[in-house]
Amino acid sequence: MTAIDENPLVKGLERLPVGPTTMTIFGATGDLARRKLLPALYNLAHEGALPEVFNLIGVSRGDEDSEQFRAWAREAIIEFSRRTPDPRVLDALLGGVRYIAGTFDDPETYRKLGEELAAFDAISDDPLNRLFYLSTAPQFFPVIIEAIGEAGLNTHDDCEVRVVIEKPFGTNGEEARELNRRVLSVFDEHQVFRIDHYLGKETVQNVMAFRFANGLFEPLWNRNYIDRVEITAAEEVGIGTRAGYYDQAGALRDLVQNHMLQLLCLLAMEPPVTFSADEVRDEKVKVLRAVQPPPPEATVRAQYTAGTVGGEEVKGYLEEDGVPPDSQTETYAALRLEIDNWRWNGVPFYLRTGKALARKVTEIAVILKPVPHLAFQEEGSIGVRPNQLVLTMQPNEGVSLSLGAKIPGTRMRIRPVQMEFLYGTAFMSQSPEAYERLITDAMRGDATLFTRNDEVEAQWRVIDPLLSAWAEGKPELDTYPAGSQGPSTASRIMEPGDEWRAI
Amino acid sequence: MSPDRGDTTWFARDTKPTKVEEALRHLLVEQRRAYNGDEDAADEVGMAVPARVLNLVAVVDRQWRGEIENRLERVGRYHASRTVLCAVEPGRRTIDARATVIVDAQGRAGEFATTHEHVVVDIGTEHVKHLDSIVDPLVVTDLPTMLWAPHGHNEAIDALLPLAQAVLLDSVDEPDIEDAIGRARALSERAYVVDLAWLRSTPWRERIAASFSPSRYRLQLPTISSVEIRHHPESAVAGVLLLGWLASRLGWTPGALAARRDVLEGRARTRKGEVRLTLKPAPDQSVRGLEGLTIETASGMKLSLDRGEGGLRARRITPTGRGSANDRTWTVMGASRGESGILGEGIRQALLRDGTYAPALDSAAGLVS
């Protein structure tokens, strides 16, 4: 054992040490910081999971001073933390927080930032790792990155300097490539952490555990046994107050390009050799490269109209505050994708997502091929149905498997029954918020749950042709009543005999 | 009619384990019916599903049963999915039992609530020798089972070990350090041991590891020359375990500690020399476990960690030459878990495996032999 190459004290610890770090949040007074980032930092502090030495700097356009920012941050944490804050830990977290008021394109902002970072290094008597978290509107991403570079803050002695970039990473492939170019002109890829908080959810990581920690399913996980896959991300709420963002983005950019393609990758990828960041991401990129962009006729886009959700009448999309009356933005998207590789050739992957649908559910349904011979089919029986394996991400994380079972009685009549497992019944731990996991991963330099540059570009390669076709009105924009299962035309993209599962 | 959301309970005097097991099965069905019977209401407030995580079998003195039940209640979400509390009452010849199915929390619309089972079995001393035959029908098959005897019913633990995978103990409960380490080692050979005294040192171990993670400090690990641990007057064993951990991880050969008044002192051999070891009681500390520690290296670097407001108060003195030194203090953030948090963590650990405890225990044995 050598104490020089590695720290022998780390073995066996549930929480691995994170290097001493100063974290800078750009857009520190924004909604994401208020609702997610600051509460996540508090919970990490509460659990003793922040680095031994941790400092926080907020940068934003507001003209508060540090004292005012600390008071604002305290309120945000008290309101949104998943646990009641311990005032002593809260004091310890916020006591040394600095705030820099400035615009993101002003070199003065970065001069002040450099001073604060150096001051923390001096107090610590050690140069500290630096984590820049870009929680701003996307148009500021390249501005901030380049300004960090110009101020010489992108490297720091022998310490790690990392940057976390929020989504969306571009609104199309060209923008994503340009953003990648500008980011990588300042930082090396290993310093860049493109966040998709969906990947930080325990439920999503469980897809990998389910597939690769259970020998039962892998032999079936291919075109020989699987008939089709349906991935659904449905919400019962409409767009709320997000019209400004949502009308620009639409369902395709909001959920399909990132979250749903991530789920598809996790479901379809080959087992990685190890669970290192690059091995996992290599396998995901291979899947994306095998996905052919679907023709317009294999897609459905639709908008919700007035309807009833949970017994209450709700407005249609075009009547929502802030939505242009002639908006063509889709609130529902459905796609049929195919993966052209040895494992999946010929297996349709149906993806659908929408706002104001019948209920909230995110799930992957794997429908197996039917048995070849129906020896048990008797009159008066619902009959033998293909097995369905459903991985539910929310609201009740679990796995269910439909099986054919004999109906009690003298005759051999069969009906499907559910074998159900709910993760919540089998673990005592409370799942951490996705941001808690992702922030510590970024501080530790573990990029497994972040999106690599080529992965982002591969996602857009699938989505770009659709954006062009949909902009030309192909296919036509359908409608569906709020609270429904979606547009009636959604089944148009399905192969004969296939049907959507009920939401 | 709105379904009854309350817990469901069964009680019997002079009963048998098979009757208790049968009652539990009925209770689960009854509870499920009561909770989920009204499907419309279930849509509104969710459904109830029995949790299936862990069996915890606790053997306690009958007179302190209530206190243990209170402690278990306070562990929050870390309670076992089925707890079997065997309360031993000298002179008792019959078995009384109470079984309750408890709804953990009200489910939200479209979501589910878990339930767990709490079984109390009042037994006599004469039952202890064959306690396995009483408990076996009461634990959920295929779930891991953890044993806990906070009042020292070692005979019961021995009887139940064939049913269990893990034993929960608190070495601090044992007045004699050598006995405490010896008992934990003996149990470790037969089951996975979760020691609350060890868990109390977790934040300290994490922080020592973190403090020596930056490369300039990691280089000093082989040059540690002195370790002083300050502890609650009755928690010396927690300090011994921490020293055992350092010794096992850093390859030291510890010698026996010797008492000088209420301070324990000793030395450990390293490849390059010796480490001075000191265990010092902190009379003002009110809670069990450690109060602080100081680690010194050959270069004169001195790291101290002590309990403080909002976390551990850290102090590092680094010599800069010519008799001067950098002296820096800061707070390593973290909330105190409290004794209920420690117990909850102990129960959770039944599902995990910490491979560093047994080697630490072996090194600790060298310190107290």
Side-chain angles (χ1 to χ4, degrees):
Chain A
M1 177 173 60
T2 153
I4 294 169
D5 298 336
E6 58 187 42
N7 183 352
L9 302 179
V10 166
K11 189 181 175 191
L13 296 178
E14 210 173 330
R15 270 192 294 269
L16 299 175
V18 185
T21 300
T22 299
M23 177 173 172
T24 304
I25 301 177
F26 288 91
T29 56
D31 208 41
L32 181 68
R34 189 167 77 98
R35 288 172 179 272
K36 296 290 182 187
L37 302 182
L38 291 166
L41 289 173
Y42 171 75
N43 281 299
L44 291 171
H46 186 103
E47 289 166 5
L50 281 180
E52 178 208 7
V53 176
F54 178 78
N55 306 298
L56 180 63
I57 301 172
V59 180
S60 210
R61 284 173 292 181
D63 54 6
E64 294 93 340
D65 59 22
S66 291
E67 195 57 44
Q68 288 168 316
F69 178 68
R70 283 193 281 267
W72 179 87
R74 180 181 297 273
E75 281 178 25
I77 290 167
I78 290 169
E79 185 174 356
F80 293 107
S81 168
R82 67 184 166 91
R83 59 159 64 89
T84 306
D86 177 329
R88 290 163 299 186
V89 179
L90 200 49
D91 287 346
L93 175 67
L94 296 177
V97 169
R98 301 280 190 274
Y99 179 76
I100 297 169
T103 55
F104 300 134
D105 58 352
D106 182 359
E108 181 63 10
T109 304
Y110 299 88
R111 190 191 61 74
K112 289 181 193 166
L113 176 59
E115 283 179 2
E116 293 288 7
L117 289 166
F120 279 129
D121 285 354
I123 293 169
S124 167
D125 192 31
D126 275 318
L128 303 172
N129 291 345
R130 292 172 180 176
L131 181 72
F132 298 112
Y133 198 114
L134 275 51
S135 168
T136 65
Q139 65 265 30
F140 294 116
F141 294 164
V143 175
I144 295 168
I145 295 277
E146 286 169 354
I148 287 171
E150 281 161 19
L153 301 174
N154 53 332
T155 58
H156 181 45
D157 294 342
D158 291 332
C159 295
E160 299 293 342
V161 181
R162 301 183 177 108
V163 60
V164 178
I165 303 174
E166 267 292 337
K167 79 173 184 109
F169 201 85
T171 60
N172 57 43
E174 192 181 337
E175 279 188 22
R177 282 189 294 278
E178 174 62 9
L179 183 53
N180 267 334
R181 188 189 65 72
R182 293 174 73 174
V183 169
L184 296 176
S185 72
V186 176
F187 290 97
D188 291 334
E189 177 61 30
H190 76 269
Q191 295 177 282
V192 182
F193 294 74
R194 297 169 193 82
I195 209 164
D196 181 344
H197 74 276
Y198 214 59
L199 284 178
K201 288 179 182 285
E202 294 278 326
T203 53
V204 175
Q205 293 165 52
N206 255 330
V207 176
M208 281 194 280
F210 178 83
R211 281 197 59 199
F212 303 130
N214 297 289
L216 178 63
F217 302 106
E218 190 53 27
L220 311 177
W221 219 252
N222 56 57
R223 63 192 300 274
N224 297 324
Y225 294 95
I226 292 178
D227 183 70
R228 65 184 189 276
V229 175
E230 294 180 19
I231 304 177
T232 300
E235 292 185 65
E236 83 281 26
V237 295
I239 57 158
T241 57
R242 296 173 68 217
Y245 160 75
Y246 198 88
D247 199 62
Q248 294 297 312
L252 195 61
R253 288 188 179 99
D254 188 45
L255 273 176
V256 178
Q257 178 265 333
N258 36 62
H259 301 337
M260 299 192 76
L261 287 183
Q262 289 285 1
L263 288 181
L264 174 112
C265 287
L266 295 175
L267 188 92
M269 73 186 200
E270 296 299 315
V273 176
T274 66
F275 275 93
S276 70
D278 277 332
E279 297 273 10
V280 171
R281 296 188 296 184
D282 284 348
E283 295 305 334
K284 283 158 62 183
V285 169
K286 281 185 205 165
V287 174
L288 289 167
R289 287 186 180 146
V291 175
Q292 296 310 311
E297 57 271 22
T299 68
V300 175
R301 63 192 188 106
Q303 247 177 21
Y304 63 86
T305 56
T308 308
V309 177
E312 289 181 12
E313 290 185 4
V314 297
K315 290 188 275 194
Y317 179 69
L318 297 180
E319 289 87 51
E320 298 274 16
D321 291 341
V323 173
D326 58 348
S327 172
Q328 291 289 297
T329 300
E330 78 285 355
T331 62
Y332 177 98
L335 287 66
R336 186 184 71 237
L337 298 178
E338 286 175 13
I339 301 175
D340 289 344
N341 64 17
W342 190 281
R343 187 188 283 263
W344 294 114
N345 190 270
V347 178
F349 283 71
Y350 299 109
L351 277 56
R352 66 177 161 172
T353 181
K355 296 278 187 191
L357 291 169
R359 71 185 179 100
K360 176 180 180 170
V361 63
T362 303
E363 67 173 28
I364 300 172
V366 178
I367 295 101
L368 276 75
K369 292 188 171 172
V371 291
H373 173 60
L374 299 179
F376 295 131
Q377 193 79 308
E378 282 201 18
E379 198 180 326
S381 163
I382 293 173
V384 178
R385 298 282 178 87
N387 300 118
Q388 289 192 17
L389 182 68
V390 182
L391 309 176
T392 306
M393 277 84 209
Q394 61 177 0
N396 291 324
E397 186 193 6
V399 180
S400 75
L401 177 63
S402 73
L403 302 166
K406 180 182 174 299
I407 300 170
T410 55
R411 298 176 61 189
M412 196 63 178
R413 294 185 299 185
I414 306 293
R415 79 168 177 84
V417 294
Q418 295 295 115
M419 190 166 76
E420 198 156 359
F421 166 69
L422 294 161
Y423 280 92
T425 64
F427 298 96
M428 291 183 271
S429 308
Q430 187 182 18
S431 294
E433 280 283 317
Y435 278 99
E436 293 169 30
R437 166 77 194 264
L438 294 171
I439 287 170
T440 43
D441 278 4
M443 284 195 277
R444 197 179 287 124
D446 182 349
T448 309
L449 301 179
F450 295 83
T451 315
R452 203 169 56 189
N453 57 348
D454 54 345
E455 200 177 346
V456 173
E457 291 178 19
Q459 289 170 341
W460 282 116
R461 188 190 64 80
V462 177
I463 298 300
D464 267 346
L466 286 186
L467 290 172
S468 305
W470 287 16
E472 292 169 11
K474 298 175 196 167
E476 278 188 21
L477 185 69
D478 277 323
T479 60
Y480 61 100
S484 70
Q485 293 278 323
S488 56
T489 49
S491 55
R492 171 173 56 75
I493 64 172
M494 305 199 95
E495 293 188 349
D498 293 353
E499 55 184 30
W500 289 109
R501 278 168 52 81
I503 288 173
Chain B
M1 192 181 78
S2 179
D4 176 14
R5 304 284 161 200
D7 306 336
T8 47
T9 298
W10 168 92
F11 174 78
R13 290 189 194 283
D14 194 6
T15 187
K16 294 181 185 310
T18 48
K19 296 282 182 196
V20 185
E21 191 271 340
E22 190 182 331
L24 272 166
R25 277 189 284 114
H26 284 297
L27 276 181
L28 283 166
V29 172
E30 188 185 318
Q31 217 286 333
R32 198 173 178 116
R33 274 203 199 114
Y35 200 94
N36 302 335
D38 182 339
E39 285 185 8
D40 291 339
D43 280 347
E44 279 173 28
V45 297
M47 56 180 175
V49 185
R52 286 292 170 257
V53 188
L54 174 74
N55 300 303
L56 174 66
V57 180
V59 185
V60 303
D61 289 345
R62 171 67 182 82
Q63 59 180 329
W64 301 112
R65 191 184 74 189
E67 189 254 337
I68 295 297
E69 287 193 287
N70 286 339
R71 282 181 70 185
L72 286 172
E73 201 169 305
R74 286 197 293 268
V75 303
R77 65 175 179 275
Y78 291 134
H79 55 69
S81 52
R82 178 169 292 181
T83 300
V84 180
L85 194 69
C86 302
V88 184
E89 186 176 10
R92 171 180 276 279
R93 296 190 177 281
T94 58
I95 296 174
D96 293 351
R98 185 183 79 228
T100 309
V101 176
I102 299 163
V103 181
D104 291 330
Q106 189 86 328
R108 287 187 297 181
E111 300 188 8
F112 68 91
T114 51
T115 63
H116 67 279
E117 300 97 50
H118 188 79
V119 184
V120 179
V121 188
D122 289 336
I123 56 172
T125 313
E126 69 177 39
H127 292 114
V128 169
K129 207 184 311 174
H130 302 293
L131 195 52
D132 54 334
S133 65
I134 295 173
V135 168
D136 198 349
L138 304 183
V139 294
V140 181
T141 310
D142 292 336
L143 288 187
T145 296
M146 179 181 239
L147 307 178
W148 184 38
H151 301 142
H153 292 278
N154 292 345
E155 190 186 4
I157 294 291
D158 291 340
L160 291 170
L161 266 176
L163 299 179
Q165 289 73 43
V167 179
L168 180 69
L169 57 83
D170 190 348
S171 291
V172 169
D173 286 337
E174 186 70 56
D176 183 84
I177 302 175
E178 193 173 350
D179 288 351
I181 300 292
R183 173 71 179 157
R185 287 184 87 196
L187 284 172
S188 282
E189 287 171 10
R190 301 170 66 191
Y192 179 66
V193 169
V194 177
D195 189 344
L196 298 182
W198 172 252
L199 297 183
R200 285 191 195 90
S201 74
T202 302
W204 303 88
R205 285 182 279 121
E206 287 177 348
R207 289 315 174 185
I208 295 168
S211 297
F212 284 96
S213 274
S215 56
R216 66 182 275 204
Y217 298 113
R218 194 162 68 235
L219 290 169
Q220 298 191 44
L221 275 174
T223 73
I224 289 176
S225 57
S226 155
V227 180
E228 178 189 287
I229 294 175
R230 299 171 286 281
H231 58 84
H232 180 274
E234 293 171 5
S235 298
V237 70
V240 171
L241 284 171
L242 186 63
L243 287 179
W245 171 70
L246 281 168
S248 63
R249 297 309 311 147
L250 297 174
W252 302 345
T253 307
L257 297 168
R260 191 168 57 84
R261 294 185 188 155
D262 51 357
V263 175
L264 292 173
E265 292 178 329
R267 291 182 183 278
R269 266 189 295 111
T270 71
R271 259 178 257 145
K272 294 185 176 175
E274 278 192 338
V275 183
R276 199 171 63 251
L277 309 174
T278 310
L279 283 173
K280 210 180 255 185
D284 294 338
Q285 187 177 331
S286 57
V287 293
R288 289 176 154 198
L290 306 180
E291 194 275 336
L293 58 88
T294 301
I295 297 175
E296 288 184 60
T297 66
S299 69
M301 194 273 280
K302 189 188 278 192
L303 172 76
S304 295
L305 295 168
D306 288 277
R307 285 175 185 266
E309 290 282 296
L312 298 182
R313 198 173 62 252
R315 182 180 185 197
R316 183 169 358 232
I317 299 171
T318 313
T320 54
R322 294 183 190 170
S324 61
N326 276 343
D327 187 346
R328 200 171 76 75
T329 58
W330 72 99
T331 298
V332 184
M333 290 174 273
S336 168
R337 293 172 292 175
E339 277 299 299
S340 56
I342 301 278
L343 179 58
E345 179 65 14
I347 295 170
R348 188 180 78 92
Q349 289 287 328
L351 306 176
L352 304 171
R353 291 295 178 266
D354 179 353
T356 59
Y357 174 69
L361 205 53
D362 290 342
S363 291
L367 288 161
V368 296
S369 59

